[in-house]
């Protein structure tokens, strides 16, 4: 039986016909049409409607969710124009217009959205063709044409062209709903379900209803038997622009109560969803504290947001006191380890959630955490009132704990019911890795220039001992082009750049380069060597690096060292002076950064240089950790 379906020019559709309506959960891959105009309802900003990509979206995305993310629509809905395009090799997630889109490695089909204005000369369908028998928008009164089972088993199915289905007769102002065909295999009104090339179709009987949450490949070319047993939802690899290792310390104390504990878990689930968890992006674990802390799951337990949210839902409250300091110490010593999934290349972040105030002290535990490179954030809910402050064990505890006291790491939430408003600000700050100041430690944040005395008084054998001392110091640091970098200058009367900061980016390469330094022999012009190092080495230091000069000499300089030492201090270079044998103690103290007792060292013979290594490292780290935290 022939069916006449409307086809009209876009301008006529706009004027006289209702644009097809879809629900927020409809994915572009469910719709066969290559280009179409639809109307989205209000409320599609909801995070339940997943979106993959930015500007160009994977067809597994919610059509209307993508429209809101792109800015074409706001949360009140409206008309949009959707155009299918080729699949991409990767899709980058982003937060835009109240929607957090997710990243995806690749997908077979994409789409773009624009304002719902018909293009001149283009004919748009007044009804959409879906890859299953009924669209989820059928409740909204949309006309649909679904693919049915083939009329006989053993035949190869072919897709039905859209315009062939719709026909050519235009009847102004009518909206015809297609009758549901009978399930008979011999029905003349049944059409073919598309199959992949070379695959035989199956007699599927009456197609089953599409259900929210069911998963189909974008073109719908999957046998029903596969659909009933497989979930083909793409698993995100995570947002690479937010690669952090994250620990949430949640409050499981008795004072929080069951209701607020549930709100806390929902907050964690919302953060997990917004972060786009995955091996190429952020990873997240949870520690619950009360009397004692316990790891609920570590960084490598759950590798996507979906699994993580399921695990969060299963967490049960432990009760007890609110020993936050003990929990921070536990995380520092146990959580961020390689065995627990710590990647080393990603910043370590700990978000501490506190109901009221801690029942123990946090300052010392937090200082140790910061020195270990952990960025501590605090979220305090319903803090102490004026009358309650007398019960707080450690006043101003949050500022004593967080990575920096500039407000970036602290959230004060007036009540639990407004906690959800903190999700996006927290995610934005966690992912701003350039501002995670505590990721930098004394061992991974410096440009270190060794200024090596190669004068005749040193001798070949002792020079090799000096190089071993330089290597022993270098081994203690985390060396890469983004962490600590090493450079070296050798001097006599003259100076020679052995290698600059940008030459070697791995520890083995640096150590091999140190071994290859050849002994020069000559006089001792230490002042000129300092000036040379400032010009040839430290002028190429990165602005966010600490500049450390470690000078090793065995005698008094033939030239003045006072002015070069003052210039070095003026340029922000921290100088450690190491004297051996005939080196002048007073000159070492002039060269070294103040206070000299922390920056000048002396040993009576070259073979004792190794004894200085631990003290130099300790002083470098002590100075680093004593820097102002605001």
């Amino acid at each position: 039986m022939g069916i006449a379906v409307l086809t009209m020019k876009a301008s006529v559709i706009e004027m006289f016909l209702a644009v097809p309506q879809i629900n927020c959960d409809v994915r572009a891959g469910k719709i066969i049409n290559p280009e179409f105009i639809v109307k989205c309802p209000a409320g599609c900003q909801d995070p339940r409607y997943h979106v993959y990509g930015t500007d160009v979206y994977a067809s597994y995305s919610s059509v209307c969710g993508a429209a809101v993310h792109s800015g074409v629509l706001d949360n009140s809905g409206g008309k949009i124009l959707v155009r299918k395009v080729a699949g991409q090799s990767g899709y980058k997630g982003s937060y835009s217009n109240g929607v957090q889109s997710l990243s995806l490695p690749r997908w077979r089909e994409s789409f773009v959205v624009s304002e719902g204005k018909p293009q001149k000369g283009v004919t748009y369908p007044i009804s959409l063709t879906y890859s299953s028998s009924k669209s989820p928008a059928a409740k909204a009164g949309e006309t649909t044409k679904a693919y049915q089972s083939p009329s006989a088993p053993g035949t190869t199915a072919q897709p039905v062209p859209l315009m062939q289905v719709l026909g050519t007769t235009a009847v102004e102002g009518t909206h015809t709903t297609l009758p549901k065909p009978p399930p008979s295999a011999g029905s003349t009104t049944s059409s073919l379900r598309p199959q992949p090339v070379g695959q035989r179709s199956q007699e599927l009987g009456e197609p089953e209803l599409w259900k929210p949450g069911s998963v189909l490949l974008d073109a719908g070319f999957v046998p029903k038997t596969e659909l009933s047993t497989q979930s083909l939802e793409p698993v995100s690899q995570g947002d690479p622009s937010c690669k952090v290792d994250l620990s949430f310390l949640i409050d499981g104390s008795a004072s929080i109560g069951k209701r607020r504990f549930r709100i806390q878990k929902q907050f964690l689930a919302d953060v997990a969803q917004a972060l786009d968890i995955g091996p190429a992006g952020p990873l997240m674990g949870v520690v619950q504290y009360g009397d004692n802390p316990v790891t609920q799951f570590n960084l490598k337990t759950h590798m996507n947001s979906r699994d993580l949210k399921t695990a969060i839902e299963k967490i049960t409250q432990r009760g007890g006191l609110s020993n936050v300091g003990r929990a921070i110490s536990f995380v520092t010593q146990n959580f961020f380890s390689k065995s627990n999934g710590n990647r080393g290349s990603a910043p370590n972040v700990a978000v501490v959630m506190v109901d009221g105030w801690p029942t123990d002290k946090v300052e010392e535990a937090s200082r140790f955490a910061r020195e270990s490179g952990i960025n501590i954030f605090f979220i305090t809910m319903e803090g102490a009132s004026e009358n309650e402050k007398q019960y707080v064990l450690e006043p101003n505890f949050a500022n004593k704990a967080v990575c920096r006291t500039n407000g970036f790491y602290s959230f004060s939430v007036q009540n639990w019911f407004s906690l959800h408003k903190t999700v996006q600000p927290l995610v934005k700050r966690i992912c701003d890795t350039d501002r995670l100041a505590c990721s930098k430690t004394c061992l991974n944040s410096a440009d270190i220039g060794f200024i090596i005395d190669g004068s005749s008084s040193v001798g070949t054998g002792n020079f090799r001992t000096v190089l071993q001392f330089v290597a022993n110091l270098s081994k203690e640091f985390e060396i890469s082009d983004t962490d600590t970098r090493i450079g070296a200058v050798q001097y006599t009367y003259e100076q020679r750049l052995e290698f600059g900061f940008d030459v070697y980016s791995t520890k083995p390469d640096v150590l091999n380069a140190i071994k290859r330094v050849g002994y020069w022999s000559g006089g001792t012009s230490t002042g000129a060597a300092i000036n040379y190092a400032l010009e040839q080495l430290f002028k190429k230091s990165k602005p966010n690096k600490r500049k450390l000069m470690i000078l090793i000499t065995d005698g008094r300089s033939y030239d003045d060292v006072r002015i070069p030492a003052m210039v070095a201090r003026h340029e922000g270079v921290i100088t450690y002076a190491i004297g051996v044998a005939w080196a002048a103690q007073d000159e070492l103290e002039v060269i070294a950064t103040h206070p000299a007792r922390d920056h000048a060292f002396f040993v009576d013979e070259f073979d004792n240089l190794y004894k200085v290594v631990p003290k130099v490292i300790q002083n470098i780290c002590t100075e680093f950790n004593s820097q102002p935290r605001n």
Side-chain angles (χ1 to χ4, degrees), residues 406-472:
N406 56 9
F408 183 80
Y409 295 88
S410 302
F411 295 88
S412 181
V413 181
Q414 295 302 311
N415 62 74
W416 281 90
F417 300 105
S418 59
L419 179 60
H420 67 279
K421 297 177 182 177
T422 310
V423 172
Q424 290 303 334
L426 176 65
V427 167
K428 185 176 181 181
R429 295 185 195 184
I430 288 172
C431 293
D432 190 356
T433 54
D434 289 338
R435 292 190 65 183
L436 296 180
C438 286
S439 299
K440 298 301 180 185
T441 71
C442 57
L443 301 178
N444 69 3
S445 59
D447 280 342
I448 302 175
F450 289 97
I451 316 304
I452 306 168
D453 184 347
S455 61
S456 301
S457 59
V458 174
T460 303
N462 288 333
F463 187 77
R464 305 318 300 175
T465 303
V466 170
L467 293 184
Q468 186 59 56
F469 170 74
V470 171
N472 290 343

Side-chain angles (χ1 to χ4, degrees), residues 349-396:
V349 178
V351 179
V352 185
M353 304 186 68
V354 183
D355 176 44
W357 56 88
T359 53
D360 65 349
K361 292 187 176 182
V362 304
E363 184 172 13
E364 185 62 23
S366 300
R367 183 190 62 79
F368 183 48
R370 292 193 302 271
E371 290 179 2
S372 301
I374 300 173
N375 295 273
I376 299 181
F377 288 78
F378 251 63
I379 303 176
T380 54
M381 277 74 62
E382 301 180 4
S385 65
E386 286 301 320
N387 293 334
E388 293 172 325
K389 286 183 178 178
Q390 59 182 314
Y391 304 114
V392 179
L393 184 64
E394 193 175 29
N396 203 24

Side-chain angles (χ1 to χ4, degrees), residues 270-512:
D270 292 343
V271 170
Q273 181 64 55
L275 278 173
D276 187 12
I277 300 296
L283 295 178
M284 176 175 157
V286 174
V287 170
Q288 183 183 172
Y289 67 88
D291 290 335
N292 294 295
V294 63
T295 301
Q296 301 289 163
F297 45 83
N298 63 32
L299 294 167
K300 64 182 182 181
T301 309
H302 304 292
M303 303 301 284
N304 59 72
S305 296
R306 180 188 60 213
D307 293 347
L308 190 58
K309 288 165 65 178
T310 302
I312 291 168
E313 180 58 34
K314 294 177 182 178
I315 296 175
T316 57
Q317 187 177 358
R318 295 178 61 81
L321 299 175
S322 184
N323 289 331
V324 177
R326 186 175 295 178
I328 294 173
S329 293
F330 173 83
V331 166
T332 304
Q333 296 170 21
N334 301 287
F335 186 87
F336 290 109
S337 64
K338 188 173 182 181
S339 61
N340 283 334
N342 187 42
R343 291 171 287 186
S345 60
N348 293 160
V349 178
V351 179
V352 185
M353 304 186 68
V354 183
D355 176 44
W357 56 88
T359 53
D360 65 349
K361 292 187 176 182
V362 304
E363 184 172 13
E364 185 62 23
S366 300
R367 183 190 62 79
F368 183 48
R370 292 193 302 271
E371 290 179 2
S372 301
I374 300 173
N375 295 273
I376 299 181
F377 288 78
F378 251 63
I379 303 176
T380 54
M381 277 74 62
E382 301 180 4
S385 65
E386 286 301 320
N387 293 334
E388 293 172 325
K389 286 183 178 178
Q390 59 182 314
Y391 304 114
V392 179
L393 184 64
E394 193 175 29
N396 203 24
F397 62 87
N399 274 346
K400 293 177 180 178
V402 293
C403 174
R404 293 289 186 271
T405 56
N406 56 9
F408 183 80
Y409 295 88
S410 302
F411 295 88
S412 181
V413 181
Q414 295 302 311
N415 62 74
W416 281 90
F417 300 105
S418 59
L419 179 60
H420 67 279
K421 297 177 182 177
T422 310
V423 172
Q424 290 303 334
L426 176 65
V427 167
K428 185 176 181 181
R429 295 185 195 184
I430 288 172
C431 293
D432 190 356
T433 54
D434 289 338
R435 292 190 65 183
L436 296 180
C438 286
S439 299
K440 298 301 180 185
T441 71
C442 57
L443 301 178
N444 69 3
S445 59
D447 280 342
I448 302 175
F450 289 97
I451 316 304
I452 306 168
D453 184 347
S455 61
S456 301
S457 59
V458 174
T460 303
N462 288 333
F463 187 77
R464 305 318 300 175
T465 303
V466 170
L467 293 184
Q468 186 59 56
F469 170 74
V470 171
N472 290 343
L473 279 173
S474 300
K475 285 177 185 176
E476 298 295 322
F477 293 90
E478 298 171 25
I479 296 172
S480 77
D481 56 351
T482 58
D483 294 311
T484 289
R485 304 186 302 169
I486 305 292
V489 167
Q490 185 182 175
Y491 74 96
T492 57
Y493 282 127
E494 300 176 285
Q495 307 83 35
R496 182 169 74 195
L497 179 65
E498 300 293 353
F499 54 90
F501 293 135
D502 56 355
V503 178
Y504 303 110
S505 59
T506 69
K507 190 176 294 187
D509 286 346
V510 166
L511 297 179
N512 285 331

Side-chain angles (χ1 to χ4, degrees), residues 556-574:
R556 186 178 289 275
S557 177
Y558 293 166
D559 62 355
D560 177 67
V561 297
R562 293 179 181 274
I563 293 176
M566 288 175 59
V567 173
R569 284 192 285 274
H570 180 73
E571 293 185 7
V573 177
I574 300 168

Side-chain angles (χ1 to χ4, degrees), residues 513-544:
I514 293 168
K515 283 182 184 178
R516 292 195 299 267
V517 173
Y519 178 47
W520 205 357
S521 187
T524 309
S525 294
T526 305
I530 294 173
N531 284 332
Y532 180 87
L534 293 176
E535 187 66 29
Q536 299 298 320
L537 199 57
F538 287 101
K539 273 205 171 175
K540 298 178 182 177
S541 182
K542 291 184 178 180
N544 64 337

Side-chain angles (χ1 to χ4, degrees), residues 252-274:
S253 61
S255 63
I256 192 174
K258 293 182 179 179
R259 185 178 185 186
R260 287 180 290 185
F261 190 75
R262 285 197 299 271
I263 294 172
Q264 185 176 216
K265 291 202 301 179
Q266 183 58 54
F267 174 77
L268 257 64
D270 292 343
V271 170
Q273 181 64 55

Side-chain angles (χ1 to χ4, degrees), residues 1-326:
M1 157 181 175
I3 299 176
V5 182
L6 306 178
T7 56
M8 306 184 72
K9 288 187 176 179
S11 59
V12 179
I13 294 176
E14 180 101 294
M15 294 173 59
F16 298 108
L17 295 179
V19 171
Q21 298 183 39
I22 59 174
N23 292 334
C24 295
D25 57 1
V26 174
R27 302 183 181 105
K30 293 289 297 180
I31 301 171
I32 301 300
N33 309 72
E35 190 170 352
F36 52 89
I37 295 176
V38 290
K39 184 175 182 181
C40 293
C44 296
Q45 199 177 52
D46 194 299
R48 290 180 298 167
Y49 310 123
H50 293 180
V51 177
Y52 298 86
T54 300
D55 296 329
V56 178
Y57 301 95
S59 62
Y60 196 74
S61 305
S62 157
V63 173
C64 298
V68 176
H69 181 270
S70 67
V72 174
L73 292 183
D74 57 25
N75 202 35
S76 61
K79 296 176 184 176
I80 58 171
L81 172 60
V82 180
R83 182 166 55 88
K84 299 284 188 72
V85 295
Q88 306 290 305
S89 59
Y91 300 84
K92 185 177 181 180
S94 64
Y95 180 77
S96 179
N97 301 304
V99 175
Q100 176 67 53
S101 69
L102 306 176
S103 300
L104 195 64
R106 64 186 63 83
W107 199 246
R108 64 182 63 194
E109 185 183 55
S110 310
F111 69 99
V112 294
V113 292
S114 56
E115 292 183 19
K117 296 179 180 179
Q119 303 296 310
K120 187 175 181 181
V122 180
T123 301
Y124 298 97
I126 61 165
S127 60
L128 302 177
T129 305
Y130 285 81
S131 59
S132 61
S133 63
K134 287 190 178 180
S135 81
K139 296 177 185 176
E142 181 191 341
T143 303
T144 63
K145 175 68 178 177
Y147 290 107
Q148 308 293 332
S149 58
S151 58
T155 60
T156 302
Q158 299 293 332
V160 179
L162 175 65
M163 298 313 296
Q164 180 181 329
V165 173
L166 295 179
T168 56
T169 306
V171 181
E172 185 179 305
T174 60
H175 194 102
T176 305
T177 302
L178 298 175
K180 181 178 178 180
S184 167
S187 170
T188 58
T189 61
S190 63
S191 58
L192 299 178
R193 179 186 296 271
Q195 304 286 343
V197 175
Q199 180 169 327
R200 308 300 290 177
S201 65
Q202 303 175 18
E203 185 172 5
L204 302 178
E206 184 177 333
E208 66 176 358
L209 294 176
W210 185 91
K211 296 174 184 157
S214 65
V215 181
L216 299 175
L217 279 179
D218 292 53
F221 297 172
V222 182
K224 176 182 172 185
T225 52
E226 286 189 28
L227 291 176
S228 63
T229 59
Q230 291 186 358
S231 173
L232 301 176
E233 182 170 355
V235 178
S236 172
Q237 295 298 301
D239 181 359
S241 66
C242 182
K243 188 177 180 181
V244 296
D245 288 341
L246 171 64
S247 171
F248 261 91
L249 283 70
I250 63 171
D251 192 339
S253 61
S255 63
I256 192 174
K258 293 182 179 179
R259 185 178 185 186
R260 287 180 290 185
F261 190 75
R262 285 197 299 271
I263 294 172
Q264 185 176 216
K265 291 202 301 179
Q266 183 58 54
F267 174 77
L268 257 64
D270 292 343
V271 170
Q273 181 64 55
L275 278 173
D276 187 12
I277 300 296
L283 295 178
M284 176 175 157
V286 174
V287 170
Q288 183 183 172
Y289 67 88
D291 290 335
N292 294 295
V294 63
T295 301
Q296 301 289 163
F297 45 83
N298 63 32
L299 294 167
K300 64 182 182 181
T301 309
H302 304 292
M303 303 301 284
N304 59 72
S305 296
R306 180 188 60 213
D307 293 347
L308 190 58
K309 288 165 65 178
T310 302
I312 291 168
E313 180 58 34
K314 294 177 182 178
I315 296 175
T316 57
Q317 187 177 358
R318 295 178 61 81
L321 299 175
S322 184
N323 289 331
V324 177
R326 186 175 295 178

